[in-house]
Amino acid sequence: MNDHATVERSPDPGREVFLQAVLGGLSERPRSIPARFLYDSRGSALFDTICAQPEYYLTRTETGILEARAAEIAGLAGPGCALVEFGSGSSTKSRLLIEAMDLAVYVPIDISRLHLDQTAAQLRLDYPELRVQPVAANFMKVEALPADIDDAIRRVGFFPGSTIGNLTPEESDAFLRRARRLVGADGAMLIGIDLRKDPTLLTAAYNDAAGVTARFTLNLLRRANRELGADFDPGAWQHEAFYNARLGRMEIYIRSLRGQTVSVAGRSFAFQPDERIHTEYSYKYDPHEFAESAHRAGFRLAELWTDPAELFAVVWLEAGPAPR
Ligand SMILES: C[S@@+](CC[C@H](N)C(=O)[O-])C[C@H]1O[C@@H](n2cnc3c(N)ncnc32)[C@H](O)[C@@H]1O
């Protein structure tokens, strides 16, 4: 098992990769576990519940933009293209595009293998004419699309959900360069970015009153218990999310409610009261800065669509000259 990109059969991150990430991340200071491990099957299902929370404006706002622009997007993409979604989750937003676009193939890429397979099976039932080729992989490492996707087919990457915001600026640059190689010289990317706004709205979105985001974050500890035989007491930890205005990002942590020692695969980790494990960033964008980073990766920002309150933006990037 590994999380390196393979194309035809890409294994789930697997126990060993998760184990090394947890052992490595808990040994460093500050302690952290990468956000992609939040998404096992339970995490993927909880994420869908987060999307339905009233405070989580991101999903309904982005969906509204996509609904309003679906025909325009289909026109920009052109006929017979491949839609490649990075971090596809339940592919809910892709359904809007699948229905509006003339697709040769839909390629959902996600690290949460079981959820990906179930989603692909449902899409095949709902759209019997559509070719669906899921790839279970870490999208930071995907080097190529499945070999039977003809080079002559135009490739349109789709990266919704503000998932790009989970990447640090360096990771985001690396991702966009990789995406540029993957879609090629006549490709395009459609990306959902969350915009900078009143911190009160942001903080509420990641601290919903029903506590779903907290359950999603703490599921990481339950996952470590289930898959690695760790002995985290989930009741002794708390979800914490706040806006760092200087860096323009939400920061999400798991905070230890008391002094405690946790064992993971025979290694012990001592935590002080209030000590934190970082799990996630969610960067909020200034559209001009985003356009510059896309440009550095070899894309030209051709369209930027937003909602009336300018909470969220969906951008259409056309591939330009490849960066050197
Ligand atoms: C914020 S959710 C977005 C889901 C969906 N695209 C949407 O807009 O509703 C992020 C998705 O990306 C997946 N994901 C996160 N990091 C990933 C990685 N490094 N490689 C592949 N998939 C990843 C998660 O499993 C999850 O399904």
Side-chain angles (χ1 to χ4, degrees):
M1 296 291 239
N2 64 63
D3 75 340
H4 296 275
T6 51
V7 174
E8 306 308 326
R9 289 192 48 76
S10 312
D12 213 26
R15 182 183 185 278
E16 191 53 31
V17 173
F18 183 36
L19 177 63
Q20 293 313 323
V22 171
L23 295 179
L26 294 186
S27 305
E28 285 169 4
R29 297 292 186 281
R31 302 192 205 241
S32 68
I33 301 174
R36 64 182 181 279
F37 294 105
L38 291 163
Y39 295 92
D40 61 349
S41 292
R42 176 102 186 102
S44 298
L46 281 167
F47 178 74
D48 284 349
T49 312
I50 289 174
C51 291
Q53 297 311 298
E55 298 91 338
Y56 200 75
Y57 62 86
L58 293 89
T59 305
R60 61 175 178 275
T61 311
E62 184 180 34
T63 302
I65 298 170
L66 290 170
E67 274 166 357
R69 302 294 175 172
E72 208 173 327
I73 291 166
L76 286 165
C81 63
L83 183 69
V84 181
E85 182 169 1
F86 300 93
S88 48
S90 296
S91 293
T92 312
K93 293 163 196 158
S94 315
R95 285 171 175 261
L96 292 169
L97 299 181
I98 288 167
E99 286 167 23
M101 292 167 78
D102 171 12
L103 290 184
V105 56
Y106 171 57
V107 184
I109 303 175
D110 206 286
I111 204 152
S112 188
R113 173 189 280 271
L114 198 60
H115 193 74
L116 175 70
D117 288 345
Q118 287 165 349
T119 300
Q122 189 60 50
L123 285 172
R124 289 189 186 110
L125 283 177
D126 294 343
Y127 304 100
E129 309 278 288
L130 180 68
R131 187 169 143 208
V132 182
Q133 276 187 264
V135 175
N138 180 347
F139 57 54
M140 297 300 286
K141 298 190 174 181
V142 171
E143 291 292 349
L145 294 185
D148 57 345
I149 296 181
D150 198 314
D151 279 350
I153 294 178
R154 186 177 196 215
R155 293 152 180 216
V156 175
F158 184 36
F159 199 22
S162 173
T163 308
I164 195 166
N166 294 146
L167 308 180
T168 62
E170 297 72 31
E171 289 168 338
S172 170
D173 279 358
F175 171 83
L176 287 172
R177 282 168 189 266
R178 180 174 294 274
R180 169 64 185 75
R181 287 198 296 275
L182 212 63
V183 300
D186 72 340
M189 283 290 290
L190 183 65
I191 306 184
I193 56 173
D194 197 15
L195 301 178
R196 294 200 183 140
K197 61 181 65 64
D198 177 357
T200 320
L201 270 179
L202 286 170
T203 310
Y206 294 84
N207 291 284
D208 60 275
V212 185
T213 309
R215 287 209 292 285
F216 171 75
T217 303
L218 294 173
N219 176 57
L220 189 56
L221 305 184
R222 295 182 188 276
R223 179 181 183 185
N225 289 352
R226 279 193 299 271
E227 294 184 21
L228 309 178
D231 64 356
F232 284 101
D233 171 3
W237 297 83
Q238 195 174 46
H239 159 88
E240 183 177 271
F242 59 85
Y243 187 59
N244 180 332
R246 189 174 64 81
L247 296 173
R249 68 188 188 196
M250 286 299 300
E251 299 190 2
I252 303 174
Y253 298 89
I254 305 175
R255 176 190 286 277
S256 177
L257 292 176
R258 52 173 162 79
Q260 54 184 316
T261 300
V262 176
S263 152
V264 184
R267 296 237 335 244
S268 289
F269 296 92
F271 294 88
Q272 302 296 320
D274 287 331
E275 198 175 338
R276 301 185 303 200
I277 304 170
H278 173 253
T279 58
E280 234 184 321
Y281 291 129
S282 184
Y283 279 83
K284 308 303 166 189
Y285 291 91
D286 168 288
H288 300 290
E289 281 172 23
F290 186 77
E292 278 168 24
S293 74
H295 185 72
R296 283 197 300 277
F299 287 106
R300 176 179 64 82
L301 193 152
E303 296 286 350
L304 184 144
W305 301 293
T306 187
D307 54 292
E310 301 193 345
L311 298 176
F312 201 93
V314 174
V315 297
W316 179 267
L317 307 179
E318 288 282 348
R324 276 185 285 162

